[in-house]
């Protein structure tokens, strides 16, 4: 069950990088994603508690950082930097007293190796340092969300860390977008990101985060983060189909490692 839910979420999330490029304004995109998702989620769940606020802030950082990373570092690289999340998830979970399983450790290790291979390939070209840092920030925020969501979901707060958390993403996305727009005087270019924000807000936020919260309560934190790593593989496919991005041999090896990690974790869930 968790395998199906998480991979469904990954399929939807794999389109975020593409949307970020097409939006032409990734900072404002993060705001509109939060805004439209919040408008929907408020009709479903209105709550103010520790679980919703903390997970909402973690998601807010992710919503702001990842679209910009996809544009500045590239869709493929940003997706793989995002999936340093298993490392951060495991560290956060350890801090909360949870020990990862042996399969979880193996899965996380394979993902780290895969990301290392991608990083080695990426360093041969021209890479935006800011883009890389934003990609890592995305991974940290995503990993933190997974660990926090699982902790709260296990005590019955599944809805609070999904729909209930979304309005609190505005704590991060709103001031970030406003500050960026003031500094760059880019208020005029909001129509395109607003339209893509509707798509991201509904299709890649409201629906998948609810499904993810249901599934994440049934597996370990490190397990949940590894299962969802099919997202960068799908993102690479979109990159090939839409932008003509052809992966190198080492990149294909990294994809194989990710698939292997997901399979290992699946057998634990089974």
């Amino acid at each position: 069950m968790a395998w199906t839910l998480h991979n469904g979420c990954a399929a939807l999330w794999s389109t975020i990088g593409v949307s970020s490029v097409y939006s032409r304004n990734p900072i404002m995109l993060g705001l509109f994603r939060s805004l439209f998702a919040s408008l929907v989620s408020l009709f479903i769940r209105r709550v103010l508690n520790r679980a919703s606020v903390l997970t909402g802030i973690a998601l807010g950082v992710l919503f702001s950082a990842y679209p910009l990373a996809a544009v500045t570092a590239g869709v493929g690289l940003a997706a793989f930097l995002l999936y340093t999340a298993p490392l951060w998830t495991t560290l956060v979970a350890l801090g909360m007293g949870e020990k990862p399983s042996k399969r979880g450790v193996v899965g996380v290790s394979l993902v780290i190796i895969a990301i290392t291979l991608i990083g080695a390939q990426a360093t041969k070209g021209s890479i935006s340092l800011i883009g890389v840092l934003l990609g890592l920030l995305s991974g940290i925020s995503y990993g933190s969300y997974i660990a926090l969501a699982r902790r709260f979901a296990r005590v019955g707060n599944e809805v609070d860390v999904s729909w209930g958390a979304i309005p609190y993403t505005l704590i991060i996305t709103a001031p970030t977008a406003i500050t960026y727009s003031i500094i760059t005087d880019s208020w005029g270019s909001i129509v395109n990101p607003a339209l893509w924000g509707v798509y991201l807000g509904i299709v890649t936020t409201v629906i998948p985060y609810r499904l993810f919260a249901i599934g994440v309560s049934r597996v370990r934190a490190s397990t949940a983060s590894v299962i969802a790593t099919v997202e960068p593989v799908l993102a690479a496919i979109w990159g090939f189909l839409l932008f003509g991005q052809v992966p190198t041999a080492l990149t294909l090896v990294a994809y194989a490692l990710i698939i292997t990690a997901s399979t290992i974790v699946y057998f634990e869930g089974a």
Side-chain angles (χ1 to χ4, degrees):
M1 179 64 171
W3 170 267
T4 302
L5 291 174
H6 289 161
N7 279 290
C9 295
L12 296 176
W13 288 331
S14 69
T15 64
I16 295 175
V18 175
S19 302
S20 301
V21 175
Y22 285 149
S23 75
R24 301 175 186 173
N25 191 331
I27 294 293
M28 292 301 294
L29 177 67
L31 171 59
F32 285 119
R33 179 185 183 184
S34 288
L35 180 60
F36 289 117
S38 296
L39 291 176
V40 175
S41 63
L42 283 172
F43 283 101
I44 302 172
R45 181 73 166 185
R46 292 187 295 274
V47 63
L48 174 60
N49 57 28
R50 185 165 172 260
S52 60
V53 173
L54 289 179
T55 52
I57 290 174
L59 284 180
V61 176
L62 175 60
F63 288 4
S64 294
Y66 185 64
L68 189 57
V71 172
T72 57
V75 174
L77 179 58
F80 279 94
L81 289 173
L82 175 65
Y83 281 91
T84 59
L87 173 62
W88 311 117
T89 298
T90 301
L91 292 177
V92 173
L94 286 173
M96 296 188 297
E98 177 184 334
K99 293 183 179 180
S101 68
K102 292 181 179 179
R103 290 184 183 272
V105 171
V106 172
V108 168
S109 299
L110 291 176
V111 170
I112 291 175
I113 293 172
I115 294 172
T116 301
L117 290 175
I118 294 297
Q121 285 291 290
T123 53
K124 294 180 180 180
S126 178
I127 299 178
S128 167
L129 177 59
I130 293 178
V132 171
L133 293 176
L134 287 169
L136 290 173
L137 178 59
S138 300
I140 293 171
S141 58
Y142 181 38
S144 299
Y145 169 74
I146 293 172
L148 290 169
R150 181 177 181 276
R151 180 179 179 86
F152 290 121
R154 292 190 66 182
V155 294
N157 292 332
E158 290 181 3
V159 180
D160 292 353
V161 300
S162 53
W163 290 327
I166 291 174
Y168 300 105
T169 61
L170 289 165
I171 294 175
I172 301 297
T173 59
T176 299
I178 292 172
T179 301
Y180 172 80
S181 296
I182 291 175
I183 294 175
T184 62
D185 193 25
S186 58
W187 295 101
S189 57
I190 63 173
V191 176
N192 208 45
L195 294 176
W196 282 104
V198 174
Y199 169 77
L200 290 187
I202 307 301
V203 178
T204 71
T205 305
V206 173
I207 296 173
Y209 276 105
R210 175 56 181 150
L211 296 177
F212 189 85
I214 294 173
V216 80
S217 64
R218 303 176 184 180
V219 293
R220 288 181 174 85
S222 56
T223 299
S225 60
V226 176
I227 289 176
T229 52
V230 296
E231 178 185 341
V233 175
L234 293 174
I237 294 175
W238 305 140
F240 172 74
L241 295 176
L242 299 176
F243 306 115
Q245 299 173 352
V246 181
T248 65
L250 281 181
T251 301
L252 291 176
V253 171
Y255 292 168
L257 290 173
I258 289 173
I259 294 173
T260 302
S262 297
T263 303
I264 290 173
V265 176
Y266 166 71
F267 283 115
E268 178 188 27

